Amino acid sequence: MKKTIYSISLFALLIAAFVLGGCVTVPAAAPAAPAGEAAAPADASAGIPRPAACDAEKPFIAVALPNLSNPYYVAMKQGFEESAAAAGFEVEVQIADNSDERQLAQVLTMLEKKPCALALNGNKSEPAAAIVKSANDAGVPVFTVNVTVDPEAIKDQGAVIVQYLGADNYAGGQQGADMVMKDLGADAALKIGFVTEPDEVPTVVRDQGFEDTIKANPNAEIVAKVDGNVRPDDSMKVTTELLAGNPDINVIWASTGPGTYGALQALQSLGNTDIQLYGFCAADEPVTGQYRGCVGQEPYDYGARVIGQIKEWLGGATPAPEILRPLKTFTTGETPAPGEVG
């Protein structure tokens, strides 16, 4: 995966210094995970700060999400808000509109309000480490969801999270490859193009699961990969370019829901019905025609479960460092339910 060094801007550092003041000691960061595996958070039992807000009548939980243009996050936001209300929490959800800088600024502002905990779905895996460090310095425990914070960036920041909860992304990639081989043949000649996002840990892990599994077919070849940026329009554009440069591709694997939708739009625009599409489920899109199969997540459930984990922790339980949820698969003739998206 492409790496860049992410630094908090001078402006953000000044804000952090003004807002947060002193620091607290946090446990050492977890080591980097082996290639192809999601990063396991540091051991939550090593000492979790408990802000005073946790003992309020209605504990305040801060939630940071990337956007609401993706139906995935609409469902997750609803899961957080409805579950928080049922649990007796006050919750504030901030939406970053796909900006790392805005998400950092939003979290710094919420940290001024001294929350009991921060639930973080980072905009991008690597920049999210700076957000975790800011919460650590404020003495606020961080529960991450969906987007894994990059383990090397966490180590560089000297930061720590309490828990990661999300899909079993490696298994999701495996499930996608299994569908391809079941539908097209275990030894079929396959030229595969990826519509992915190389700078987010979950998509990298999904792709690794797919690649490791498709190797069971000796005639399968990964021809090229393009960055769909987890956006339908970008994915449509790069899929069109991918096919123009690689006319022998006969299978596309898209490792995000917006990537799948964009790839499908590109195929339909080109009038190309020969290429078979598999991926993480596009929202409200029936699996039909050349869109042969998808893997579905449950973002409403993830948001609700994070709230449940925080409530259990406040009740004295030790959170598991990592919770990986199983994924559903959908094949021809099936339509994922609302909220079962990639």
Side-chain angles (χ1 to χ4, degrees), residues 69-151:
S69 58
N70 185 346
Y72 184 97
Y73 294 117
V74 174
M76 182 177 285
K77 179 176 182 287
Q78 185 179 9
F80 272 114
E81 291 175 337
E82 293 183 358
S83 298
F89 295 154
E90 177 187 352
V91 66
E92 178 180 339
V93 181
Q94 287 291 331
I95 308 300
D97 296 326
N98 299 313
S99 167
D100 299 318
E101 292 78 11
R102 185 177 290 117
Q103 189 167 65
L104 173 61
Q106 288 173 339
V107 170
L108 290 174
T109 299
M110 288 193 288
L111 290 174
E112 286 189 77
K113 301 176 184 179
K114 304 185 184 304
C116 171
L118 169 65
L120 173 65
N121 189 138
N123 182 55
K124 297 290 183 184
S125 293
E126 192 171 354
I131 295 175
V132 176
K133 183 61 165 66
S134 295
N136 288 167
D137 289 347
V140 175
V142 182
F143 291 73
T144 59
V145 58
N146 182 45
V147 171
T148 314
V149 183
D150 183 86

Side-chain angles (χ1 to χ4, degrees), residues 1 11 15 22 34 57 72 82 107 109 112 124 214 240 281 308 311 322:
M1 181 175 80
F11 177 71
I15 294 175
E57 183 178 348
Y72 184 97
E82 293 183 358
V107 170
T109 299
E112 286 189 77
K124 297 290 183 184
I214 206 71
T240 302
C281 295
K311 184 175 182 179
E322 183 176 72

Side-chain angles (χ1 to χ4, degrees), residues 49-297:
R50 186 184 174 100
C54 294
D55 298 316
E57 183 178 348
K58 292 189 69 173
F60 169 50
I61 309 298
V63 179
L65 301 180
N67 63 68
L68 290 180
S69 58
N70 185 346
Y72 184 97
Y73 294 117
V74 174
M76 182 177 285
K77 179 176 182 287
Q78 185 179 9
F80 272 114
E81 291 175 337
E82 293 183 358
S83 298
F89 295 154
E90 177 187 352
V91 66
E92 178 180 339
V93 181
Q94 287 291 331
I95 308 300
D97 296 326
N98 299 313
S99 167
D100 299 318
E101 292 78 11
R102 185 177 290 117
Q103 189 167 65
L104 173 61
Q106 288 173 339
V107 170
L108 290 174
T109 299
M110 288 193 288
L111 290 174
E112 286 189 77
K113 301 176 184 179
K114 304 185 184 304
C116 171
L118 169 65
L120 173 65
N121 189 138
N123 182 55
K124 297 290 183 184
S125 293
E126 192 171 354
I131 295 175
V132 176
K133 183 61 165 66
S134 295
N136 288 167
D137 289 347
V140 175
V142 182
F143 291 73
T144 59
V145 58
N146 182 45
V147 171
T148 314
V149 183
D150 183 86
E152 293 180 19
I154 281 281
K155 184 177 180 181
D156 290 343
Q157 291 279 352
V160 65
I161 65 176
V162 173
Q163 182 182 83
Y164 169 77
L165 186 150
D168 188 340
N169 289 298
Y170 188 83
Q174 290 179 308
Q175 289 168 285
D178 284 338
M179 285 191 288
V180 171
M181 290 189 290
K182 180 180 178 181
D183 291 346
L184 306 181
D187 58 357
L190 304 178
K191 301 290 185 180
I192 305 170
F194 279 26
V195 180
T196 183
E197 213 295 14
D199 293 322
E200 288 192 12
V201 173
T203 48
V204 171
V205 173
R206 292 170 192 175
D207 291 347
Q208 191 64 56
F210 185 98
E211 289 191 60
D212 289 349
T213 304
I214 206 71
K215 287 177 183 177
N217 178 353
N219 299 315
E221 177 186 357
I222 310 300
V223 175
K225 301 180 180 182
V226 292
D227 183 359
N229 201 27
V230 201
R231 297 181 185 179
D233 290 348
D234 291 351
S235 297
M236 181 178 178
K237 179 178 181 293
V238 297
T239 299
T240 302
E241 295 168 351
L242 171 70
L243 298 178
N246 301 275
D248 57 341
I249 285 176
N250 57 10
V251 173
I252 290 177
W253 163 252
S255 48
T256 70
T260 299
Y261 184 80
L264 181 59
Q265 295 304 301
L267 292 172
Q268 292 174 346
S269 176
L270 293 169
N272 188 324
T273 58
D274 295 330
I275 297 172
Q276 308 304 299
L277 173 64
Y278 296 82
F280 272 62
C281 295
D284 304 320
E285 194 70 31
V287 180
T288 186
Q290 68 193 115
Y291 179 25
R292 299 288 298 274
C294 71
V295 182
Q297 302 180 85

Side-chain angles (χ1 to χ4, degrees), residues 14 65 146 154 202 248 309 325 334 341:
L14 290 173
L65 301 180
N146 182 45
I154 281 281
D248 57 341
Q309 288 293 307
R325 300 294 300 155
E334 298 178 329
V341 297

